[in-house]
Amino acid sequence: MSSPIATGLLAYGMSGRVFHAPFLTAPNFRLQAVVERTRKEAASRYPEVRSYDSVAELLADETLELVVVNTPNDTHFDLARQALQAGKHVLLEKPVTATVAELDELLALASEQGKQLLAYQNRRWDADFQLVRQVVESGRLGQLTEAHFRFDRYKPGLNPKVFKEDPTVPASGFHFDLGAHVLDEALSLFGRPQHVHVAQASQRPGSRVVDYFLAHLTYPAGLQVFVTVSLLAAAPVPAYVLHGTQGSFQKRRADVQEAQLAAGMRPTDAAYGWEPAEAAGQLTMVEADGQFSHATLEAPRGNYSGLFEAVYQAIRHGQPYPVRPEELRWQLEILEQAAARPAK
């Protein structure tokens, strides 16, 4: 059996504590080091972890093989480059960079170093999106004609992290945040669009960054895909709506993994990842006699462990990683198009 991958986290805030550390203590990984500039909290749950005061100290640790870059968006490019130059594999949170040019530079550097640059797009392993993928790939809806992917929240106040509200900071704005997740979902299912139209706005009182974003993606055979994120949706509509020549499907966003992990549940617990029954998707089919039939579809178990298994297989066994570089380029092409237009 292959040895576990010795891993370091560049931050142990909410992202490190909730989305990464619980999975880096599985048999395939060994959480060995974190960067904690002020509060030293990681060791209270992971006694064997080394706590470094700076990124430079962690990158100088020659025993580390993989570094997770889970720092603010505008630092992703520089810190991923430093990690690759230090001879580490990199798991890089979204958005991987602010521009396509930066992404290509990192990919070239990873190739030169013989290392993996892997994108952390965990929402592909949400229970609700896994069900959407099953419905699309089953062909039950016939030829798809229209698809809506949304991520809505209601947060009218400005973020206390000032850099997130500064339009001069690279990769700021809600489109680079949750928008990157929803774009990734759509692109992973439908591929590169033929045409893209972007609409965006600053809608919260005092906001200077994009907090509403819509990308209209056009595909062959007339398929229309709409990707939307909003911070002013008090009563969210279904997160996924699909229409095809033989039926329709809709599903609200209900993945429980983030809430469970934040509450301290471990990914190995029996209840982990299972949505409540009332969150089931709704399928409407057109029968041969023209009548409509209705069914509920329960989502599979949410499984962020699947992402980390893919990371392990890519690093240890050279297996293709499911989040492909070209998909990241398509995502950044759209986000760059949006960034070139000031929010109004």
Side-chain angles (χ1 to χ4, degrees):
M1 294 181 62
S2 300
S3 60
I5 299 173
T7 305
L9 272 173
L10 292 194
Y12 193 69
M14 186 269 194
S15 170
R17 178 175 53 84
V18 172
F19 289 113
H20 296 288
F23 301 94
L24 296 173
T25 53
N28 287 341
F29 295 89
R30 182 172 67 252
L31 179 58
Q32 189 164 298
V34 298
V35 175
E36 297 177 289
R37 292 177 176 82
T38 53
R39 293 178 297 178
K40 303 290 186 177
E41 298 177 340
S44 64
R45 183 154 190 178
Y46 307 103
E48 303 302 318
V49 75
R50 303 171 190 167
S51 181
Y52 289 110
D53 295 327
S54 69
V55 170
E57 289 178 328
L58 183 142
L59 295 182
D61 186 337
E62 296 183 356
T63 66
L64 294 177
E65 301 173 77
L66 171 66
V67 167
V68 179
V69 179
N70 60 323
T71 51
N73 294 355
D74 60 305
T75 68
H76 287 183
F77 170 67
D78 184 56
L79 293 180
R81 180 173 56 183
Q82 290 182 41
L84 289 169
Q85 290 171 337
K88 318 297 186 187
H89 300 288
V90 173
L91 179 59
L92 181 54
E93 282 200 344
K94 58 77 199 164
V96 286
T97 59
T99 67
V100 175
E102 290 178 343
L103 171 63
D104 286 341
E105 183 175 335
L106 290 181
L107 290 169
L109 178 58
S111 179
E112 292 170 7
Q113 295 286 89
K115 299 299 177 183
Q116 296 276 359
L117 176 71
L118 307 171
Y120 181 79
Q121 290 282 358
N122 63 312
R123 297 294 176 179
R124 290 196 190 189
W125 285 266
D126 277 358
D128 35 44
F129 179 67
Q130 290 186 78
L131 179 58
V132 170
R133 179 181 291 280
Q134 289 179 7
V135 171
V136 170
E137 294 180 347
S138 74
R140 298 176 69 177
L141 301 181
Q143 181 174 307
L144 289 179
T145 58
E146 185 179 356
H148 295 261
F149 291 65
R150 296 187 63 101
F151 211 134
D152 290 326
R153 287 180 173 170
Y154 183 73
K155 292 187 174 182
L158 300 184
N159 196 305
K161 296 179 179 178
V162 178
F163 66 87
K164 288 196 171 187
E165 300 288 353
D166 186 347
T168 67
V169 174
S172 62
F174 199 46
H175 52 333
F176 276 98
D177 188 3
L178 293 184
H181 277 312
V182 192
L183 278 171
D184 177 70
E185 290 179 342
L187 295 172
S188 73
L189 280 181
F190 305 120
R192 188 178 191 177
Q194 290 181 321
H195 303 287
V196 178
H197 174 73
V198 168
Q200 60 191 31
S202 297
Q203 297 180 331
R204 295 165 302 150
S207 174
R208 296 187 299 137
V209 297
V210 172
D211 49 29
Y212 173 87
F213 173 74
L214 166 69
H216 176 191
L217 316 179
T218 303
Y219 289 89
L223 172 61
Q224 308 296 310
V225 177
F226 300 87
V227 172
T228 309
V229 292
S230 172
L231 280 177
L232 288 178
V237 299
Y240 303 97
V241 177
L242 306 171
H243 299 299
T245 56
Q246 297 176 15
S248 297
F249 175 78
Q250 64 177 3
K251 173 78 172 68
R252 69 181 176 92
R253 192 174 296 279
D255 187 85
V256 296
Q257 293 179 89
E258 179 176 346
Q260 289 177 333
L261 292 166
M265 183 180 289
R266 297 184 180 276
T268 52
D269 289 352
Y272 177 81
W274 293 107
E275 291 185 350
E278 60 270 21
Q282 304 300 314
L283 178 69
T284 301
M285 297 295 297
V286 182
E287 303 300 336
D289 60 1
Q291 298 299 308
F292 296 112
S293 65
H294 304 277
T296 58
L297 302 181
E298 293 186 2
R301 188 180 194 177
N303 181 31
Y304 293 158
S305 296
L307 181 149
F308 288 90
E309 175 63 20
V311 169
Y312 177 81
Q313 293 298 332
I315 292 174
R316 281 287 183 261
H317 304 296
Q319 295 297 312
Y321 188 64
V323 185
R324 297 176 294 154
E326 57 266 35
E327 294 169 338
L328 298 173
R329 289 192 186 94
W330 303 337
Q331 179 190 128
L332 288 173
E333 286 172 355
I334 297 170
L335 291 173
E336 275 196 87
Q337 177 181 333
R341 301 174 54 188
K344 296 180 180 180

